[in-house]
């Protein structure tokens, strides 16, 4: 089962796609795929509606695919969570998860244009497993408790501007929060439909050249530990997004001249079972 949102920005309608490829209008169940829907057993109610045959078929032809979750409260990101990525950037292997935040208004659809910021010379790509929270997580003790708070998984693109992030002083925020810097989707797969979040291949190409090709099995801190750990520093609420880090292959880790993104470049990224994104980059 895939939860998705279709339509123009700000006017998306909720939908669900089944294993046979049929798309159904989810409006009889919910006004949107958001935190309140996830917190109120929305996924279970969706399965029940599908089983009962009460959802109308929806033709997705010509409809924009929006981010699969609306009203994200916060985006919590884990940096340097793959050993090979830490090594390629010259960073020490972290003893504890490196945590930073992105603003929710960076989220765009999986096929929307992404803008290279003005004065940018080091815009970079990062394919990541996105974890969407479905139950309030605070002071969790075990991995089992942590995974019970996960509503589902999606593809997240943590676009970054490395000069802003590293060379302009302060923390990483300036390089992470430029407009359109978090394409999300194309859909949300419920956690029950992902047998092992640590066994997912993830890959990214730029203009047809493979740049990242790895697996979530190489995470330093797996999903369960990331959620458990975060719950001791902040409250994760239904609808929040956790970006779990990127593997090696980013432009920052390439030899000179580093192939940073420019307007006109096309980036494609995918995760096993979670779909594919494609963005053409424009100029802000």
């Amino acid at each position: 089962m895939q939860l998705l949102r279709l339509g123009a920005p700000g006017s998306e309608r909720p939908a669900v796609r089944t294993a046979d490829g049929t798309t159904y209008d989810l409006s009889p169940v919910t006004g949107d795929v958001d935190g309140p829907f996830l917190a109120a057993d929305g996924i279970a109610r969706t399965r029940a509606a599908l089983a009962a045959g009460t959802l109308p078929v929806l033709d997705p032809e010509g409809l924009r695919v929006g981010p699969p979750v609306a009203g994200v409260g916060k985006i919590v990101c884990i940096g340097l969570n793959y050993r090979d990525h830490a090594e390629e950037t010259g960073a020490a292997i972290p003893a504890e998860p490196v945590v930073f935040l992105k603003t929710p208004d960076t989220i765009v659809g999986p096929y929307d244009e992404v803008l290279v910021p003005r004065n940018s010379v080091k815009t970079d790509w990062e394919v990541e497993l996105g974890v969407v929270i479905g139950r309030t997580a605070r002071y969790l003790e075990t991995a089992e408790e942590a995974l019970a708070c996960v509503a589902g998984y999606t593809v997240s693109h943590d676009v970054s501007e490395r000069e802003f992030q590293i060379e302009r002083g302060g923390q990483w925020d300036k390089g992470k929060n430029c407009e359109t810097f978090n394409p999300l989707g194309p859909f949300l797969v419920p956690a029950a439909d992902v047998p092992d979040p640590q066994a997912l291949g993830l890959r990214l190409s730029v203009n047809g050249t493979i740049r990242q090709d790895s697996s979530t099995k190489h995470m330093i801190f797996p999903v369960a530990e990331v959620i458990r750990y975060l719950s001791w520093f902040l409250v994760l609420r239904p609808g929040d997004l956790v970006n779990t880090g990127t593997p090696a292959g980013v432009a920052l880790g390439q030899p000179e001249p580093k192939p940073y993104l420019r307007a006109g470049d096309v980036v494609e990224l995918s995760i096993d079972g979670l779909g594919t994104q494609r963005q053409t980059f424009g100029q802000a």
Side-chain angles (χ1 to χ4, degrees), residues 69-146:
V69 182
V72 172
K74 55 183 172 288
I75 308 171
V76 187
C77 305
I78 306 299
L80 306 173
N81 198 25
Y82 289 75
R83 182 177 298 272
D84 57 1
H85 174 57
E87 290 172 347
E88 74 173 346
T89 61
I93 304 301
E96 296 188 38
V98 175
V99 179
F100 64 94
L101 300 177
K102 294 185 82 160
T103 58
D105 63 359
T106 58
I107 292 175
V108 294
Y111 312 117
D112 290 347
E113 181 183 49
V114 175
L115 298 176
V116 175
R118 296 180 188 182
N119 301 320
S120 168
V121 295
K122 296 183 179 180
T123 294
D124 206 347
W125 57 81
E126 294 190 18
V127 59
E128 306 202 5
L129 175 64
V131 179
V132 177
I133 302 299
R135 184 184 303 173
T136 299
R138 59 187 299 275
Y139 298 115
L140 303 177
E141 295 282 357
T142 67
E144 291 74 20
E145 288 178 311

Side-chain angles (χ1 to χ4, degrees), residues 125-222:
W125 57 81
E126 294 190 18
V127 59
E128 306 202 5
L129 175 64
V131 179
V132 177
I133 302 299
R135 184 184 303 173
T136 299
R138 59 187 299 275
Y139 298 115
L140 303 177
E141 295 282 357
T142 67
E144 291 74 20
E145 288 178 311
L147 290 179
C149 293
V150 175
Y153 301 95
T154 189
V155 182
S156 191
H157 190 182
D158 177 23
V159 187
S160 307
E161 211 298 342
R162 302 303 189 185
E163 182 189 23
F164 298 177
Q165 176 187 354
I166 300 169
E167 303 172 35
R168 298 292 295 273
Q171 299 178 329
W172 289 1
D173 294 10
K174 285 181 282 190
K176 294 289 188 175
N177 286 285
C178 303
E179 60 182 331
T180 71
F181 262 28
N182 205 133
L184 194 66
F187 42 76
L188 178 71
V189 176
D193 295 346
V194 180
D196 185 357
Q198 304 309 144
L200 303 175
L202 64 173
R203 59 203 62 83
L204 179 146
S205 67
V206 181
N207 299 327
T209 299
I210 294 291
R211 294 296 187 178
Q212 293 182 280
D213 189 357
S214 187
S215 169
T216 56
K217 70 181 180 182
H218 298 305
M219 286 183 185
I220 298 171
F221 305 104

